[in-house]
Amino acid sequence: MIRRRIISVFLAAAMTCGLISFLPEDTFVSVNNTVFADESESFTVPAYAVEMARRINELRASAGVPALAISPELCSIASMRTQETTAVFSHMRPDGRSCSTALTDAGINYSFFGENIAYGYNSISSVLSGWMNSPGHRANILDPSFECIGIGMVNVNGNCYWTQVFATAGGIHAAYPENIVMGDEAFISRLYTVALERASDPTGASYWIDRLRNGEVTGADVARGFLLSEEFLGKGTSNEDFVETLYLTFFNRGSDPVGKSNWVALLNGGASRQSVIEGFINSVEWYQLCSSYGIASGSSAEPR
């Protein structure tokens, strides 16, 4: 049984305030990424972070508070802090220092800083609801002192940890969520082309794009969905053609003779197609391909 827990902190100079509350259980969510863009540069930030920032700005607009811009530097810090909270669920870091040192360690000088952390929530909607129903977290989310936000999330054995980092600081990149170009549309369109050999349909594409943006699936989940779909299975491909499709799907290239021969031999020897798909998913090439689209691979080859 997974418990939910949330804590908030706000800092202006050296002043802090905190709040702890406990809520019930839930399941999990996976990570996916997108392309971050401003007028002149491109960065990588989590797609779930873009979606959460968009929803936060809706809440801030309803409260008459200016919108937050999302920052790749703050997202990196939030991701690091999320990893730290899996070891020590606190605004104190595992080395005993305050969470604010994550910014100063990165060379970021801030005038205002805040942090919300949580675990046990399976979606953006549920964790935002938990935070908004807690006075300390709500105060951070709606605080007009903050100009930028970073968001991190990690799934540990079905238990999701979340971090929001708020700041008003100089020397960081930032863009408003509505100005960010999502790379997941091109990712989905490509899978229709290489796996199903057809153009995407609006309903199907929207289904997968929405699930990626909501953090419900990774690139691996989407690939499985295409390659194990009734449409693909109905094509009746041979083992040789199936392996060739996997090379195109996961490696973005044709097969090499030795590699293809080994995979085909496994299939001819009784290995399931799903087991072979998992072999391609757990590859550096798949991780790199997904990263080029700003999508989390869902692969064990993903750096830790």
Side-chain angles (χ1 to χ4, degrees), residues 79-119:
S79 295
M80 177 186 68
R81 283 289 300 132
T82 306
Q83 290 286 353
E84 291 182 347
T85 63
T86 67
V88 179
F89 190 74
S90 168
H91 293 298
M92 301 301 292
R93 303 179 69 185
D95 63 7
R97 295 184 298 155
S98 166
C99 56
S100 63
T101 61
L103 270 71
T104 54
D105 284 354
I108 298 173
N109 296 316
Y110 64 88
S111 52
F112 295 97
F113 166 82
E115 179 181 86
N116 287 343
I117 60 176
Y119 73 75

Side-chain angles (χ1 to χ4, degrees), residues 138 261 272:
R138 180 186 178 92
S261 176
S272 69

Side-chain angles (χ1 to χ4, degrees), residues 37-61:
D38 63 15
E39 293 180 355
S40 59
E41 298 179 274
S42 293
F43 309 90
T44 297
V45 295
Y48 64 81
V50 177
E51 178 61 20
M52 181 179 284
R54 183 188 65 78
R55 297 188 193 186
I56 287 171
N57 283 341
E58 291 175 353
L59 296 169
R60 288 171 69 92

Side-chain angles (χ1 to χ4, degrees), residues 34-246:
T34 188
V35 175
F36 177 99
D38 63 15
E39 293 180 355
S40 59
E41 298 179 274
S42 293
F43 309 90
T44 297
V45 295
Y48 64 81
V50 177
E51 178 61 20
M52 181 179 284
R54 183 188 65 78
R55 297 188 193 186
I56 287 171
N57 283 341
E58 291 175 353
L59 296 169
R60 288 171 69 92
S62 297
V65 179
L68 294 171
I70 191 168
S71 162
E73 291 91 345
L74 295 186
C75 283
S76 293
I77 289 168
S79 295
M80 177 186 68
R81 283 289 300 132
T82 306
Q83 290 286 353
E84 291 182 347
T85 63
T86 67
V88 179
F89 190 74
S90 168
H91 293 298
M92 301 301 292
R93 303 179 69 185
D95 63 7
R97 295 184 298 155
S98 166
C99 56
S100 63
T101 61
L103 270 71
T104 54
D105 284 354
I108 298 173
N109 296 316
Y110 64 88
S111 52
F112 295 97
F113 166 82
E115 179 181 86
N116 287 343
I117 60 176
Y119 73 75
Y121 293 83
N122 76 324
S123 67
I124 292 169
S125 297
S126 64
V127 73
L128 268 182
S129 177
W131 277 328
M132 288 299 289
N133 285 317
S134 169
H137 303 89
R138 180 186 178 92
N140 275 346
I141 289 170
L142 300 181
D143 194 324
S145 301
F146 298 133
E147 296 179 351
C148 298
I149 189 171
I151 299 157
M153 190 276 294
V154 65
N155 173 8
V156 179
N157 298 323
N159 189 13
C160 285
Y161 289 75
W162 301 81
T163 302
Q164 293 175 325
V165 171
F166 305 89
T168 296
I172 60 175
H173 300 89
Y176 293 107
E178 62 269 22
N179 295 332
I180 293 175
V181 179
M182 302 295 276
D184 42 24
E185 295 180 9
F187 179 80
I188 295 299
S189 177
R190 176 185 175 277
L191 283 177
Y192 272 95
T193 300
V194 299
L196 300 184
E197 298 180 309
R198 67 173 175 87
S200 63
D201 60 275
T203 300
S206 294
Y207 169 80
W208 288 113
I209 290 167
D210 289 344
R211 295 190 72 196
L212 281 169
R213 292 182 181 178
N214 288 332
E216 298 173 20
V217 296
T218 64
D221 297 320
V222 179
R224 292 186 192 101
F226 276 75
L227 294 168
L228 298 174
S229 67
E230 290 184 5
E231 179 177 350
F232 183 83
L233 295 175
K235 293 157 62 92
T237 56
S238 66
N239 285 340
E240 288 78 8
D241 288 342
F242 175 72
V243 170
E244 195 66 39
T245 298
L246 295 188

